[in-house]
Amino acid sequence: MAGRAGAGGGNDIQWCFSQVKGAVDDDVAEADIISTVEFNHSGELLATGDKGGRVVIFQQEQENKTQSHSRGEYNVYSTFQSHEPEFDYLKSLEIEEKINKIRWLPQKNAAQFLLSTNDKTIKLWKISERDKRPEGYNLKEEDGRYRDPTTVTTLRVPVFRPMDLMVEASPRRIFANAHTYHINSISINSDYETYLSADDLRINLWHLEITDRSFNIVDIKPANMEELTEVITAAEFHPNSCNTFVYSSSKGTIRLCDMRASALCDRHSKLFEEPEDPSNRSFFSEIISSISDVKFSHSGRYMMTRDYLSVKIWDLNMENRPVETYQVHEYLRSKLCSLYENDCIFDKFECCWNGSDSIVMTGSYNNFFRMFDRNTKRDITLEASRENNKPRTVLKPRKVCASGKRKKDEISVDSLDFNKKILHTAWHPKENIIAVATTNNLYIFQDKMN
Amino acid sequence: MAAPLGTAAQADDTGDEKQDTQEKEAVAPERAEEAKLKAKYPNLGQRPGGSDFLMKRLQKGQKYFDSGDYNMAKAKMKNKQLPSTGPDKNLVTGDHIPTPQDLPQRKSSLVTSKLAG
């Protein structure tokens, strides 16, 4: 039966604390709020973006042969200011520097590339290493000053000598001015040449090399804005089919589009929607059905959506309902009134797959996060907290008591801290290593080896 | 624990009936919550969720500063003190015209992220 405490995911993974990054104090500066977390394709690099427009990249250490029971730690590799706050004077619009999404490009050469976006502008960043520098110039001193040419009596050939590793980030492309509304998603195509960016009402297709042109492929803006009933909440390219992408809406639907069908993909190829009993409708129905994240499985056969209370797995071959539904925090259904009043009902939780598509993970409140094993149907609730700081100690499963008698070690719904929300989580593409972002801290957990 | 709402819904027909009852049980608290909300805010729109939220979402970031109003107010009040904002800077009421000084400073973070510290 689902929900049994102590049941881990797949072969019962035992999760242990590995590292935590960020300030200890409770007074959180707005700029430090983490807004996105993403592993690169190999899992060696882990990027975070924050509300202050900064990106921090961590790199996994090479495995230590002597310490066979732990994988490499993640240490800071590079950090840079990706976006700055702007003010659009024409529209009297403040543009936040908050990084909404980061997506890595697969590695093609020595350098690493990632796309980062705020509400309006997408940037392609190149992160490269420099570990040698030329020395022995004829006309320049080592400190850069120019030598008086008349003092040069012999010639030498400059050589490259090793230096301390320097990691440099430089913006290679800036994709701007293509979005009237706020960008919520970016997704790189499997052709590795194009990518899409989605805002509330439109989706654009870009070529990574071209910044002055973008093709609009979805436009759901009604002729009369009074008729607006839904917005785009997330979009993603299919991992293998370069012509296919999906986008989710605030009404709980997902549309799959095929770019071969027409230039403007306003007509979907498939519409995924779970039928709702109209007699069950309440004021909250639409709000809690709004999809906050959509992610394809690595295989490309399934996609996962996250709405306020649940995670749903859809088979691309079946549009009329999801094949699996997992309740994240059903106990919140009887708290919807206060969650509406404090705006928590609008929180946008993300979700992610593990490398083999057998387990899915998503965050909740009180710094809890949840994992669902699709094979065993078992689930577990864990907590990201500095109190569980001992490496290699297995994390204790948590349990929320919805009503009635609270058992020891359970926490009651009314004691949950709704300011401690885990919106962003990421799973290493190959290993059982996860990155979990609380408001301003990044936790890394690993499975207990041996 | 009653009704295992945590189990995955089976993708076949036999599960439907059971799921119906589960949903009815599940939605009753939702209706109770709706009643609570309507009691607190009787003027809340008839439309469920819908356009109000969407409009608010689309207009995020909008700031208003009318230089015409500002200059006229300055001229009119040449001899009087401009009413100040009071303790809550975000609250703009009555004759108070937002001035450039009142708008929160938009500076980029010069400080390195604490994640990198």
Side-chain angles (χ1 to χ4, degrees):
Chain A
M1 175 161 110
R4 190 181 334 144
N11 297 329
D12 283 29
I13 300 175
Q14 301 201 289
W15 291 103
C16 304
F17 170 85
S18 174
Q19 298 170 270
V20 60
K21 311 277 184 192
V24 183
D25 57 76
D26 279 338
D27 194 17
V28 183
E30 271 219 28
D32 292 326
I33 296 173
I34 300 172
S35 51
T36 186
V37 181
E38 188 83 357
F39 279 102
N40 76 336
H41 292 254
S42 66
E44 188 205 353
L45 299 177
L46 175 61
T48 61
D50 65 23
K51 209 161 180 222
R54 301 164 300 190
V55 170
V56 182
I57 300 174
F58 302 92
Q59 181 187 42
Q60 192 179 28
E61 264 176 25
Q62 292 300 315
E63 267 177 47
N64 194 331
K65 298 288 190 264
T66 58
Q67 282 190 299
S68 59
H69 46 250
S70 68
R71 294 188 192 79
E73 279 199 341
Y74 282 84
N75 298 319
V76 180
Y77 178 67
S78 171
T79 177
F80 54 93
Q81 185 79 35
S82 172
H83 287 71
E84 309 260 351
E86 289 174 63
F87 196 88
D88 182 340
Y89 294 100
L90 189 63
K91 296 181 190 165
S92 204
L93 192 68
E94 197 171 74
I95 301 169
E96 269 194 302
E97 65 275 36
K98 171 167 77 86
I99 308 296
N100 293 332
K101 285 284 172 357
I102 288 173
R103 289 287 181 263
W104 289 93
L105 264 72
Q107 192 174 11
K108 283 191 292 193
N109 52 37
Q112 299 279 356
F113 288 86
L114 61 79
L115 284 177
S116 70
T117 187
N118 70 347
D119 282 340
K120 296 285 180 182
T121 304
I122 306 123
K123 296 188 184 182
L124 176 70
W125 286 89
K126 176 180 180 182
I127 296 110
S128 46
E129 292 185 359
R130 195 196 289 264
D131 62 357
K132 304 183 262 295
R133 65 155 180 239
E135 286 179 19
Y137 283 109
N138 292 291
L139 295 176
K140 263 202 295 196
E141 303 284 3
E142 293 308 332
D143 60 10
R145 279 178 306 147
Y146 281 97
R147 289 171 72 182
D148 178 357
T150 58
T151 64
V152 178
T153 52
T154 61
L155 284 180
R156 56 188 175 169
V157 178
V159 290
F160 276 97
R161 293 218 189 281
M163 61 178 253
D164 286 339
L165 180 67
M166 218 168 70
V167 182
E168 301 167 324
S170 60
R172 304 304 285 176
R173 306 268 187 279
I174 302 197
F175 304 92
N177 304 318
H179 286 278
T180 306
Y181 302 99
H182 299 107
I183 298 173
N184 51 59
S185 311
I186 45 175
S187 177
I188 299 170
N189 200 340
S190 52
D191 66 10
Y192 301 148
E193 285 189 346
T194 58
Y195 74 94
L196 63 74
S197 57
D199 67 32
D200 292 314
L201 297 177
R202 299 191 178 104
I203 302 180
N204 294 329
L205 181 71
W206 302 84
H207 191 286
L208 283 164
E209 299 290 324
I210 300 168
T211 58
D212 63 357
R213 250 174 307 156
S214 169
F215 287 100
N216 177 244
I217 51 177
V218 172
D219 187 338
I220 65 167
K221 185 177 178 190
N224 181 357
M225 282 299 271
E226 302 279 308
E227 291 162 25
L228 182 70
T229 55
E230 66 180 327
V231 295
I232 296 169
T233 52
E236 198 181 45
F237 263 121
H238 189 275
N240 308 317
S241 301
C242 57
N243 50 277
T244 305
F245 66 92
V246 293
Y247 67 92
S248 58
S249 84
S250 53
K251 277 186 155 175
T253 63
I254 309 101
R255 286 174 176 80
L256 183 144
C257 300
D258 186 331
M259 295 196 292
R260 296 170 301 187
S262 68
L264 189 61
C265 299
D266 274 0
R267 275 213 304 257
H268 54 263
S269 298
K270 292 195 185 204
L271 174 65
F272 297 84
E273 187 172 15
E274 185 167 23
E276 193 197 10
D277 182 352
S279 66
N280 285 340
R281 246 188 116 64
S282 77
F283 175 82
F284 303 111
S285 298
E286 193 174 304
I287 304 173
I288 62 173
S289 70
S290 176
I291 292 170
S292 49
D293 195 15
V294 64
K295 291 263 173 46
F296 276 106
S297 64
H298 294 90
S299 65
R301 163 92 188 263
Y302 299 97
M303 67 178 173
M304 163 168 54
T305 57
R306 175 69 155 97
D307 52 69
Y308 192 60
L309 297 179
S310 67
V311 159
K312 293 179 179 168
I313 313 277
W314 304 78
D315 184 325
L316 291 192
N317 301 314
M318 187 162 82
E319 296 167 63
N320 62 353
R321 60 182 157 170
V323 289
E324 295 156 39
T325 301
Y326 301 103
Q327 302 300 337
V328 181
H329 37 217
E330 179 66 16
Y331 46 78
L332 294 184
R333 204 181 282 270
S334 52
K335 300 288 168 199
L336 291 178
C337 180
S338 36
L339 292 169
Y340 175 89
E341 290 181 289
N342 62 19
D343 272 356
C344 283
I345 205 175
F346 300 106
D347 285 337
K348 296 181 178 58
F349 291 94
E350 291 175 8
C351 53
C352 62
W353 299 83
N354 73 339
S356 59
D357 297 337
S358 60
I359 309 175
V360 297
M361 169 168 67
T362 190
S364 179
Y365 294 104
N366 209 71
N367 283 346
F368 287 172
F369 57 100
R370 304 261 285 137
M371 289 184 195
F372 302 93
D373 187 319
R374 300 177 61 214
N375 299 323
T376 65
K377 301 303 180 201
R378 290 208 289 255
D379 61 81
I380 190 168
T381 305
L382 297 172
E383 182 180 1
S385 148
R386 282 180 186 266
E387 284 166 22
N388 308 325
N389 258 3
K390 295 199 280 282
R392 296 202 307 282
T393 308
V394 179
L395 293 180
K396 190 171 134 189
R398 299 283 176 225
K399 188 127 171 61
V400 178
C401 169
S403 61
K405 211 158 160 213
R406 187 179 73 89
K407 299 200 190 83
K408 175 170 125 76
D409 286 348
E410 284 185 358
I411 177 165
S412 84
V413 185
D414 298 307
S415 313
L416 294 174
D417 187 341
F418 290 97
N419 290 317
K420 292 191 174 161
K421 38 194 114 181
I422 290 177
L423 303 174
H424 312 285
T425 60
W427 203 306
H428 189 290
K430 300 181 173 95
E431 317 245 14
N432 284 330
I433 303 174
I434 55 176
V436 173
T438 59
T439 307
N440 65 330
N441 283 178
L442 182 72
Y443 286 79
I444 298 171
F445 301 103
Q446 299 184 1
D447 70 356
K448 190 184 177 97
M449 292 174 85
N450 75 264
Chain B
M1 170 109 73
L5 294 170
T7 47
Q10 296 303 307
D12 56 41
D13 287 345
T14 54
D16 276 359
E17 253 184 42
K18 193 170 169 209
Q19 205 177 333
D20 265 349
T21 349
Q22 284 174 18
E23 271 176 22
K24 285 197 163 47
E25 284 170 23
V27 175
E30 206 174 305
R31 285 290 174 77
E33 289 296 296
E34 182 177 8
K36 247 195 257 177
L37 194 68
K38 291 242 160 95
K40 279 196 190 181
Y41 309 102
N43 294 326
L44 204 54
Q46 292 307 308
R47 303 161 287 188
S51 295
D52 289 341
F53 305 117
L54 299 183
M55 284 310 197
K56 199 166 119 173
R57 179 188 175 134
L58 295 180
Q59 279 168 10
K60 180 185 98 166
Q62 204 81 45
K63 292 267 186 277
Y64 294 102
F65 173 72
D66 188 318
S67 60
D69 276 349
Y70 174 66
N71 285 307
M72 280 182 56
K74 246 177 45 170
K76 181 165 107 179
M77 297 193 172
K78 220 175 1 177
N79 302 321
K80 292 188 267 187
Q81 280 278 45
L82 270 173
S84 59
T85 43
D88 186 356
K89 284 218 157 189
N90 292 324
L91 195 64
V92 174
T93 55
D95 281 325
H96 179 255
I97 309 295
T99 63
Q101 295 92 286
D102 295 334
L103 293 174
Q105 287 302 311
R106 298 300 291 137
K107 293 195 292 233
S108 66
S109 325
L110 300 172
V111 181
T112 312
S113 165
K114 295 196 178 103
L115 291 184

